[in-house]
Structure formats: structure tokens, C-alpha cells
Amino acid sequence: MKKSIFSRFMKALTMEIREHKSTFIVYSVLRLAVIAVGILQFFNGNYENVFLCILTLILLMVPSFIQLTFKVELPTTLEIIILLFIFAAEILGEIDDYYLLFPFWDTMLHTINGFLAAAIGFSLVTLLNDSEKIQFELSPIFVVIVAFCFSMTIGVVWEFFEFGMDQIFGMDTQKDTIIHILNSVSISADGSMTTFRDIGNVVIDGTALPFNGYLDIGLIDTMQDLIVNFIGASVFSVFGFFYIKFKGKINLVNRFIPTKKSKDRDYLEKVINDAE
């Protein structure tokens, strides 16, 4: 019985993935690319990267899983961007070291994340408002505040995750920043402000750092991520405000707002009904 339920779900998931031609093409190309990278990493003995490729393959199915499970329709533009975002973050960023090769890579992804998370928060309000069980009316400013706060919450929770990974597993997800000016009240014996300028050679536990400057261990990286998340969330919130004001006539916003799935596109229910 369990196997039958699982097979029905996978069949419906496959139908969901194939629903939109353009999305399916992007999904297929990215999936083949991830598989190729995974095979290459396996033969190179990089088994952690192989696991990362497997995780990426699972994540690529998340948009379709969400549509199938929660009976919502993601716009093609939004779904494609999510797929490209996953590939850019996990494969290009982590395995191909784009985070190190291109300093703007992490900033770009966090900005996009802020924009998309605001769109999702905005959609939650509109979808709830369209529900037959829950109905309420909010002014445009309150809706965009909810969307903005949702996006910032996602950004903060992600920074919590990065901090936890660094502290518990000894990773370096909150990248260090080389700084040449340091202000501190902890260095002086009397707690007064001490300023170091034009910091040159720094020695840590008897080992000199291979560059001029001091290491900020994650704070600047975290704040930069939250600032660009703020920018992305703010941009969508502005568009979302005028979207409500003009009663959904802004096409750009429509490309990022999920809607309730129509019955003829509810593939899970269709597969279940066909089986009966």
C-alpha cells in the first residue's frame, strides 16, 4: 500500500515537472549538468561534493514538490529563477568555488534571495486572502510589511544556520574579511577605545598571516549578507505595493506571485482518481 502511494506521488511529481516546457528544459539541462559534475567528483575522490550533488538533485525537485503538495502554481519565471539559484549556489558556488573566484557571487545570491523571499511572503498573504476558510483585508502597506519582514526573517535564520555550521562543525561559511583598521575596547587593560590603523603583519599563535591586515571572522560577511537581503526585500516590497494599488496590473510582479492551482492541474488528485 505504501509503495502504491509513493509510486502515485512520484508519477504526479513527474507530471508536475513536465507541465511547463520551458521550465522542464531548464530543469533537465541543470539535472544533467549536476549528474555530470557528480560523476566527475566521484572519480576524483571528492565524496563530499558527490553528496552535495545528490542534495542539489533533490533541491531541484523542491519547486515541483511544493506545487504538488500545497496545490499552488508557481509562475514560470519564478520557478526558473529558483532552479538557477539552486545551481548557482550549490554547484557553481560550492563545488566550482565561485564564492572565492568572484567576490560578488555571494552578494548577488543574497540579494536575489531577499527579493524572492519577499515575493513568497507577499504570496502567502494573497493566497490566504483568497482562501474560503480564512479571509481578511489588509492595506497595501501592511501586506508589503509582512512580505518584507518575512524576507528578512529568512535572511536572519540563514545567518543563524551559517553561524551554527561554523561553530558546531568547524566550517567557514561566514567568510572572513581582511581589514586594515580595528577599533576595540577589549584590547586595552582599562577598557578604553584602542584604534589600530594601517594594520600590517599579524601573528596568530606564533604564525604570521600571509597578508597584510587583520581578519574579521564573519561579522562583516554576515552584515553584508543582511544588507543586500534588505535591498532585495525592499525592491520587491515597492513593486508589491504598487501591484496592490493598481489591482494586479504590474506584469513584473505577476511573474513572481504563485497562485492557487486549478483542479485540472492538480496532478496528484488526478493520479489518485485515475487509479481508483
Side-chain angles (χ1 to χ4, degrees), residues 5-65:
I5 294 175
F6 178 76
S7 62
R8 291 177 186 176
F9 185 86
M10 292 306 298
K11 181 179 179 180
L13 185 62
T14 301
M15 295 171 65
E16 187 69 57
I17 292 173
R18 295 174 177 271
E19 179 181 13
H20 302 293
K21 185 177 179 180
S22 56
T23 305
F24 178 63
I25 291 174
V26 173
Y27 170 83
S28 300
V29 171
L30 295 180
R31 185 178 178 84
L32 288 175
V34 174
I35 292 173
V37 171
I39 293 173
L40 181 62
Q41 294 299 317
F42 177 81
F43 284 111
N44 288 336
N46 298 324
Y47 301 115
E48 290 185 4
N49 288 343
V50 173
F51 171 78
L52 192 58
C53 288
I54 295 174
L55 176 63
T56 303
L57 291 175
I58 296 173
L59 291 175
L60 289 176
M61 293 189 293
V62 168
S64 296
F65 176 84

Side-chain angles (χ1 to χ4, degrees), residues 110-130:
H110 277 281
T111 306
I112 295 174
N113 177 74
F115 185 91
L116 295 180
I120 293 172
F122 187 92
S123 303
L124 290 175
V125 178
T126 56
L127 288 172
L128 283 174
N129 197 40
D130 290 339

Side-chain angles (χ1 to χ4, degrees), residues 140 238-251 253-254:
V238 171
F239 281 111
F241 176 82
F242 288 106
Y243 175 84
I244 299 175
K245 281 297 248 184
F246 292 106
K247 303 185 184 302
K249 295 181 180 180
I250 301 179
N251 291 328
V253 178
N254 283 324

Side-chain angles (χ1 to χ4, degrees), residues 202-248:
V202 175
V203 177
I204 298 180
D205 198 21
T207 301
L209 297 180
F211 49 79
N212 290 330
Y214 190 69
L215 281 181
D216 169 84
I217 51 175
L219 175 61
I220 293 178
D221 176 76
T222 298
M223 294 309 300
Q224 287 177 342
D225 291 346
L226 291 177
I227 289 171
V228 296
N229 191 106
F230 173 90
I231 293 173
S234 299
V235 170
F236 183 86
S237 297
V238 171
F239 281 111
F241 176 82
F242 288 106
Y243 175 84
I244 299 175
K245 281 297 248 184
F246 292 106
K247 303 185 184 302

